[in-house]
Amino acid sequence: MAIVTELPEEQEAAITYDVFLSFRGKDTRLGFSDHLYQALVNENISTFLDEEEVETGEELKPELARAIKCSRASIIVLSKNYASSTWCLDELVMILEQRRVSDHIVLPVFYNVEPTHIRKQEGTFKEALFEHKQRIESEKDVEKKLQGARKLELWTKGLTEVADLKGKDANGRRETVFIDEIVKEISSRLELHTRTKIPHLIGMDMSILTISSWLKGGSSSKSAEILTIWGMAGIGKTTLAKYIYRLHRHEFERSSFVEEIERKCAEQKYALLDLQKQLLRDILRKRMIEEHDVDVCTSKIEKALLNKPTLLVLDGVDNFEQVDVLIGTKGFHPGSKIIVTTKDGSLTEKCSLFRIKFPPKHTEHALYGLSATESVRLLCWHAFGGYDPKEGYEEEAIRASNYCGGHPLALKVLGSSLNNEDVATWSDTFEMLETGEFHNHVHKVLQISFDSLPSQDCKELFKHIACFFVGKDREATEIILKECGIRTSYGMKKLFDRCFLTIGGDNMITMHQLLQDMGRDLVHKESPEKPWKRSRVWKHEESLDLLKKDKGTQRIQGLILDTNLLRKEHNFKDDDVNKIFRADQPIQMVYEFFLRIWLFFARLLLMLSSSHCKKVELRTDALRKMDKLKLLQLNHVKIDGSYKNFPKGLRWLCMHGFHSKFIPSDLPMENLVALDMSYSNLTQLWKKPKLLGSLKILNLSYCKIVRVEGFSWLPALERLILINCKSLVHVCESIGGCDGLVILDLSYCNNLSNVPISISKLKKIKRLSLNGCLGASEFLMRMKDMESYASSSSIGEFLPKTPKSFLVPSLVTLSLIGNNLSNESFPKDFSSMSMLKTLYLNKNPIDSLPDCVRSLSKLEELHVGECWMLKSVLCPPPTIQYLWADDCPSLIKITFPQEMSSPPFLDNFGAESLS
């Protein structure tokens, strides 16, 4: 099913916000109210917060009145000076009126004030009302005087009424805990109100009710409880699971949503390990998980799941072994709930967890298509922005929804493609659909929507992404494809608008599997039997065959071949074997015994038969005919011959596992925008450098490279990634001449003892990562004695003129995790980093907050987790909003500057002794 996140504006008082936040800016704007607002937003609670102050006597702005009427709930932060603002008092009166005439929820928060003082108008509340009364009585205008007197009466009654409501009292409470309590309270109350009055999902009411009941039931059970949501692709499994997860995750101590497991495992070699790390980060609340063994990760996950009540969603599972790896076999803490989404309803019970002595309780929930009424509503939402068709479109809307057969993705895409189109266009679209030769309605709808994209650029962009860039960084993808002659900014916007693309975590491009299949199918139809006549070749087996037989042509724009993934293209699935060897229950044990034997020998034979993948050898001549090739991936392939035969128009070249010790000098790279040589045998970039005026992205992670030099030959470089280059001992100071460098990552370059200090000359760098880098300590120490280094003839030309400007003001994120840094390692002043917002100091032997951190004028996030010697964090910058101090066993004291009205969000999990 498809999610609806906003409601149509059917009338002036249509719901727009979940919460209206009323507060006195003078008291809490820069502290408590700001933190509360951020906490609400982080929980996907739509919250109205007014950014402006108001002088006493001004009338309430019309937009504030509308916001109150268009909100489902109000949180009123009653602070010491709340009643001194006539604006706040007007808000209070209107909120209470809204409560009387509707189901509007009101939650008072008594912020360092006594409810009895509000009820009886004592203390500051008495003083404020007295001042209002004097101002009103001094009014010369009779009408205004009468109006003021009526308001004063309403204000007084309002204060008495709100003080009698059940609220939350902040007195004597830690604000982080108190804010979390408020968010849970309002979430709980909105949840019931939302489910009965404001449906957020079309056609999913019964599913939401059923799964919510399952989540709340059986909490005292000692065994694990698992729910499988299953159905065909695009039917709404992920959407439903996400909605349920967001609705209920606050009820559990830990939670994690692991998305698109099937696709990630099919496209990425180390996907399961990455998914394990994500799960561990979520349930352990750690920013970094440094583990490279799948079995060890599984053991850690098993232990973590036993410790805390957890809500875990495994989305898009297509193999029961994925479940085994991600949750293990030890069970869960009582009250934990596991949700699995899959296309195969029988898959979950095949995992190892169901073969233990006390298997978990398992429930299945199947999803089918939408009803006729629900289909019309969903299509209209995407076509018209409301639940009903516009006048004159009634018949066409019903015709369209009937054609989609209740399939949510088809309805969503078709509705989006017909948005703002006239009736004639609707009719033409149906004629194309109904007279076509295709029998699969869903795919036909998707293709018609593709055909309606406004330009050929959009279509080519979509096909490029479907074939090569799903799961890739959005910004890097745009950089590469822009250089392929595509208007990426315009095209991306249109693809997002038409629901062809979405953005996932870490700014990665995501696309529904059906849409990706459709995009690849469009390319396949260019020449069903002859891949070399297509514009793009993405199947590894076809790519290998094409190159071995020297069938490359000028039609090919992009080609990928990864011999490590070749096995997956013709690999069997255990599920398929189970279907072949179905057995009745009485002989189940015998069946499983022989099945395991069969699987063992089948895997052994497959490993032997696919071992040739690692020995694949090709000749560069195989690429000589591909003059229009711009996108090329040849991972773990041995290539012989002269590289001058490589296409000269390449924009993206990815060669993981490259066998040579240096990049061949005859490789045409003049037009390259992105070069990825990760996991290669490279010990140096090249024997003889050459000018690469277009190269913007260079990734040499996990290579054996020893020295990186010649940056003067890379004038356009924007991203340099050198993660885990264990042999790297030198990065040339000429890097300071890369004026456009934005990202530099030297994490875990263990033997790099001298980080180039010319980094200080980089004017555009925003992210610098030196995690686990040996030279990070020396890098910081050298900052203390800049004058002597500035006189060095070898590096002086790359240094700034004054020591104070050593670190560039453009830096936004600095990561120094696990660098063995003590307090003495830091310079006295970091003030030159005037734009720094995020600082990672995790896993360092500091015993207190380094003095230089206090000079960071815009710091918002400070991470000091797992600093085992850390005893105190005293007076961090007043701009700080988040302090992560988890797993700091020695931490006993945290203080904040007096100018801060309230402390930032604090995560100090594991620091039980903190006072």
Side-chain angles (χ1 to χ4, degrees):
M1 311 299 169
I3 194 165
V4 176
T5 55
E6 296 180 7
L7 294 178
E9 294 184 2
E10 297 174 356
Q11 54 187 352
E12 183 180 358
I15 295 300
T16 305
Y17 302 99
D18 292 321
V19 170
F20 179 91
L21 188 56
S22 177
F23 63 95
R24 181 68 169 111
K26 178 181 177 181
D27 289 347
T28 66
R29 177 181 298 279
L30 299 179
F32 178 81
S33 293
D34 180 57
H35 298 152
L36 175 58
Y37 171 78
Q38 192 60 52
L40 292 165
V41 171
N42 288 343
E43 287 296 317
N44 296 299
I45 299 173
S46 175
T47 305
F48 181 90
L49 177 140
D50 185 47
E51 295 290 346
E52 295 184 12
E53 292 285 359
V54 64
E55 296 298 328
T56 298
E58 290 189 20
E59 294 294 324
L60 193 67
K61 292 189 298 186
E63 53 264 38
L64 287 181
R66 282 195 296 270
I68 292 171
K69 291 181 179 179
C70 295
S71 298
R72 296 177 215 153
S74 290
I75 297 176
I76 306 172
V77 182
L78 295 157
S79 56
K80 184 172 70 171
N81 295 299
Y82 185 88
S84 66
S85 166
T86 57
W87 201 338
C88 287
L89 292 171
D90 283 342
E91 286 179 359
L92 173 66
V93 170
M94 183 166 288
I95 288 168
L96 294 174
E97 175 62 23
Q98 192 69 15
R99 177 176 179 266
R100 283 189 284 271
V101 300
S102 69
D103 294 325
H104 192 84
I105 298 167
V106 178
L107 179 63
V109 174
F110 302 103
Y111 186 75
N112 298 329
V113 294
E114 295 293 336
T116 185
H117 291 171
I118 301 172
R119 184 182 301 108
K120 298 179 180 180
Q121 288 91 57
E122 297 175 344
T124 56
F125 289 85
K126 178 180 179 180
E127 294 170 4
L129 290 175
F130 180 74
E131 290 180 5
H132 295 321
K133 182 179 180 181
Q134 284 188 318
R135 178 176 50 79
I136 292 168
E137 289 177 347
S138 65
E139 176 61 55
K140 303 298 183 182
D141 187 297
V142 177
E143 183 61 33
K144 288 184 178 180
K145 190 171 185 177
L146 289 173
Q147 183 182 6
R150 286 194 295 269
K151 276 193 171 187
L152 184 62
E153 184 180 358
L154 290 173
W155 294 340
T156 304
K157 290 181 178 179
L159 289 170
T160 301
E161 182 179 347
V162 76
D164 287 332
L165 296 178
K166 181 182 178 182
K168 296 289 182 181
D169 193 342
N171 289 327
R173 305 289 304 280
R174 288 177 58 186
E175 285 194 358
T176 51
V177 177
F178 183 55
I179 287 174
D180 185 55
E181 187 178 297
I182 294 171
V183 173
K184 287 182 178 180
E185 171 75 15
I186 203 68
S187 296
S188 177
R189 295 174 70 174
L190 279 173
E191 166 196 318
L192 178 63
H193 184 64
T194 298
R195 194 160 56 236
T196 56
K197 300 292 184 180
I198 315 292
H200 276 217
L201 291 179
I202 296 174
M204 301 293 271
D205 294 348
M206 286 305 299
S207 291
I208 293 170
L209 182 61
T210 299
I211 298 175
S212 294
S213 298
W214 172 82
L215 280 170
K216 291 180 178 299
S219 59
S220 61
S221 173
K222 293 184 178 180
S223 63
E225 291 200 53
I226 299 180
L227 172 74
T228 298
I229 302 174
W230 67 279
M232 69 177 292
I235 206 68
K237 303 182 294 295
T238 299
T239 299
L240 174 61
K242 277 186 178 179
Y243 181 80
I244 292 293
Y245 177 76
R246 290 170 179 170
L247 196 64
H248 293 283
R249 66 180 180 179
H250 66 277
E251 299 168 7
F252 297 79
E253 289 192 39
R254 296 289 186 269
S255 61
S256 180
F257 192 103
V258 185
E259 193 170 3
E260 292 189 316
I261 295 171
E262 175 184 358
R263 175 166 26 209
K264 290 175 180 177
C265 289
E267 296 181 352
Q268 301 171 26
K269 182 180 177 182
Y270 302 103
L272 271 176
L273 182 60
D274 291 339
L275 293 173
Q276 287 180 312
K277 289 181 180 181
Q278 176 204 327
L279 200 161
L280 279 171
R281 284 195 299 269
D282 291 342
I283 58 181
L284 294 179
R285 292 185 178 177
K286 290 188 177 182
R287 290 285 177 166
M288 299 286 294
I289 299 293
E290 296 178 25
E291 185 53 66
H292 305 288
D293 186 280
V294 170
D295 293 335
V296 172
C297 271
T298 299
S299 179
K300 288 185 176 182
I301 291 171
E302 288 175 332
K303 183 178 180 181
L305 290 174
L306 285 169
N307 287 336
K308 298 285 183 180
T310 303
L311 174 61
L312 173 60
V313 179
L314 303 180
D315 170 61
V317 172
D318 73 329
N319 188 317
F320 67 81
E321 290 182 347
Q322 295 163 354
V323 180
D324 291 345
V325 169
L326 288 171
I327 63 176
T329 61
K330 303 299 183 184
F332 311 93
H333 189 282
S336 293
K337 303 284 183 173
I338 313 299
I339 297 175
V340 176
T341 74
T342 178
K343 294 191 284 286
D344 181 359
S346 66
L347 179 145
T348 305
E349 289 193 359
K350 297 169 187 171
C351 71
S352 300
L353 195 61
F354 285 88
R355 294 197 291 270
I356 62 177
K357 186 176 181 180
F358 298 105
K361 181 179 179 182
H362 182 224
T363 305
E364 292 186 14
H365 185 82
L367 292 184
Y368 303 101
L370 296 175
S371 68
T373 301
E374 293 163 347
S375 294
V376 172
R377 284 164 62 83
L378 181 56
L379 180 123
C380 288
W381 175 258
H382 290 286
F384 307 117
Y387 292 146
D388 300 310
K390 287 184 180 179
E391 185 177 352
Y393 286 80
E394 292 85 357
E395 291 185 9
E396 304 298 338
I398 293 173
R399 184 179 174 188
S401 61
N402 288 341
Y403 185 84
C404 291
H407 193 279
L409 180 64
L411 289 160
K412 177 180 178 180
V413 174
L414 181 60
S416 299
S417 66
L418 291 172
N419 185 272
N420 293 325
E421 299 289 355
D422 55 30
V423 176
T425 302
W426 281 60
S427 299
D428 292 343
T429 299
F430 301 137
E431 287 182 15
M432 288 188 286
L433 286 169
E434 292 168 356
T435 59
E437 297 179 358
F438 303 100
H439 299 291
N440 188 322
H441 284 200
V442 175
H443 282 182
K444 199 187 305 182
V445 167
L446 300 181
Q447 183 165 345
I448 291 296
S449 299
F450 168 82
D451 291 338
S452 72
L453 287 172
S455 71
Q456 190 62 31
D457 260 7
C458 291
K459 297 175 182 178
E460 293 302 307
L461 178 62
F462 173 74
K463 288 190 281 189
H464 272 316
I465 292 173
C467 291
F468 305 126
F469 292 103
V470 172
K472 299 293 192 293
D473 179 80
R474 175 183 178 175
E475 292 179 2
T477 299
E478 289 192 28
I479 289 172
I480 294 166
L481 294 181
K482 183 179 180 180
E483 296 301 323
C484 291
I486 296 175
R487 292 186 299 162
T488 53
S489 296
Y490 172 79
M492 285 286 195
K493 183 179 185 305
K494 291 301 178 184
L495 292 176
F496 284 119
D497 290 345
R498 299 293 183 93
C499 300
F500 280 92
L501 297 180
T502 54
I503 289 295
D506 296 329
N507 203 37
M508 297 300 180
I509 297 173
T510 62
M511 179 187 294
H512 195 282
Q513 188 65 56
L514 280 177
L515 287 166
Q516 185 177 22
D517 291 344
M518 185 267 293
R520 291 181 167 183
D521 188 55
L522 289 171
V523 176
H524 182 267
K525 288 171 183 173
E526 295 173 359
S527 179
E529 304 299 328
K530 299 177 180 179
W532 54 89
K533 290 188 176 182
R534 300 179 200 151
S535 58
R536 302 158 181 87
V537 186
W538 68 92
K539 286 189 176 181
H540 304 291
E541 196 166 11
E542 289 181 341
S543 298
L544 178 60
D545 184 66
L546 181 156
L547 293 172
K548 289 178 72 174
K549 295 179 179 179
D550 194 14
K551 290 187 176 182
T553 67
Q554 291 187 347
R555 289 185 57 85
I556 301 175
Q557 300 175 33
L559 178 145
I560 60 174
L561 168 61
D562 190 324
T563 60
N564 281 354
L565 295 177
L566 244 181
R567 179 186 177 207
K568 291 189 176 182
E569 292 198 348
H570 49 80
N571 192 8
F572 63 85
K573 291 183 179 179
D574 296 338
D575 296 348
D576 298 331
V577 177
N578 288 336
K579 292 175 184 176
I580 297 171
F581 293 90
R582 289 288 183 190
D584 296 329
Q585 189 65 31
I587 60 170
Q588 183 69 24
M589 293 181 64
V590 177
Y591 149 68
E592 287 189 359
F593 174 74
F594 284 106
L595 173 60
R596 291 186 185 186
I597 294 176
W598 190 92
L599 285 173
F600 172 78
F601 284 107
R603 285 195 180 100
L604 181 62
L605 289 171
L606 185 62
M607 288 173 62
L608 293 173
S609 65
S610 62
S611 62
H612 73 280
C613 295
K614 297 181 180 179
K615 299 178 181 179
V616 170
E617 294 188 17
L618 298 172
R619 294 198 60 80
T620 56
D621 291 348
L623 296 163
R624 70 185 187 281
K625 301 175 185 177
M626 303 184 196
D627 293 341
K628 293 186 179 179
L629 191 67
K630 295 181 178 179
L631 307 169
L632 178 62
Q633 180 186 90
L634 295 175
N635 288 352
H636 310 288
V637 177
K638 189 175 186 304
I639 306 176
D640 294 321
S642 173
Y643 285 84
K644 67 181 181 181
N645 293 318
F646 263 56
K648 294 178 172 58
L650 283 178
R651 302 300 195 270
W652 172 57
L653 178 59
C654 179
M655 300 181 76
H656 291 180
F658 186 64
H659 62 282
S660 180
K661 293 185 178 181
F662 54 86
I663 297 173
S665 58
D666 56 349
L667 177 66
M669 295 189 290
E670 291 79 7
N671 295 303
L672 268 185
V673 178
L675 178 62
D676 186 351
M677 306 295 284
S678 304
Y679 303 96
S680 297
N681 290 322
L682 293 178
T683 57
Q684 63 185 89
L685 270 179
W686 36 57
K687 283 189 174 180
K688 183 179 180 181
K690 58 197 303 186
L691 181 64
L692 302 183
S694 300
L695 192 67
K696 296 182 179 180
I697 303 171
L698 178 60
N699 191 343
L700 303 174
S701 298
Y702 294 89
C703 286
K704 299 177 182 178
I705 196 158
V706 177
R707 303 172 69 87
V708 181
E709 301 172 310
F711 289 103
S712 59
W713 301 92
L714 305 173
L717 194 63
E718 295 180 5
R719 300 183 178 203
L720 178 60
I721 314 297
L722 298 168
I723 299 171
N724 232 299
C725 292
K726 303 291 188 183
S727 302
L728 185 65
V729 297
H730 178 71
V731 176
C732 181
E733 293 289 349
S734 63
I735 193 173
C738 295
D739 294 335
L741 196 64
V742 176
I743 296 174
L744 175 59
D745 197 331
L746 297 170
S747 296
Y748 309 109
C749 295
N750 298 349
N751 290 306
L752 181 62
S753 58
N754 291 314
V755 175
I757 57 176
S758 61
I759 290 173
S760 58
K761 193 178 181 182
L762 298 173
K763 298 178 180 179
K764 295 183 179 180
I765 190 166
K766 292 185 177 179
R767 190 166 79 227
L768 174 61
S769 296
L770 301 175
N771 305 336
C773 180
L774 179 64
S777 178
E778 178 67 19
F779 174 75
L780 292 176
M781 290 293 287
R782 282 186 289 174
M783 293 172 61
K784 295 184 174 183
D785 193 18
M786 281 300 303
E787 291 183 356
S788 61
Y789 281 93
S791 63
S792 170
S793 59
S794 62
I795 62 174
E797 63 179 298
F798 298 108
L799 293 177
K801 294 182 179 180
T802 60
K804 188 176 181 180
S805 61
F806 179 76
L807 284 176
V808 294
S810 61
L811 204 61
V812 175
T813 300
L814 176 61
S815 190
L816 299 167
I817 299 173
N819 291 124
N820 197 31
L821 302 174
S822 64
N823 290 68
E824 290 72 29
S825 303
F826 292 88
K828 294 182 179 180
D829 190 11
F830 263 177
S831 61
S832 61
M833 294 191 290
S834 58
M835 299 300 293
L836 195 74
K837 292 184 177 180
T838 305
L839 177 62
Y840 293 89
L841 298 178
N842 309 58
K843 299 185 178 181
N844 284 300
I846 55 175
D847 57 18
S848 61
L849 185 67
D851 293 337
C852 58
V853 176
R854 300 185 183 92
S855 63
L856 295 169
S857 60
K858 291 189 178 180
L859 189 68
E860 295 178 358
E861 288 190 40
L862 175 60
H863 300 257
V864 291
E866 299 181 76
C867 291
W868 62 95
M869 295 178 63
L870 186 66
K871 297 179 181 178
S872 64
V873 178
L874 306 180
C875 295
T879 54
I880 194 168
Q881 297 178 15
Y882 301 93
L883 174 59
W884 302 88
D886 52 306
D887 292 323
C888 296
S890 302
L891 185 60
I892 57 175
K893 187 174 184 180
I894 297 178
T895 64
F896 296 99
Q898 291 184 350
E899 57 265 37
M900 296 180 69
S901 57
S902 63
F905 281 115
L906 171 63
D907 186 342
N908 64 303
F909 179 73
E912 305 297 341
S913 61
L914 181 66
S915 59

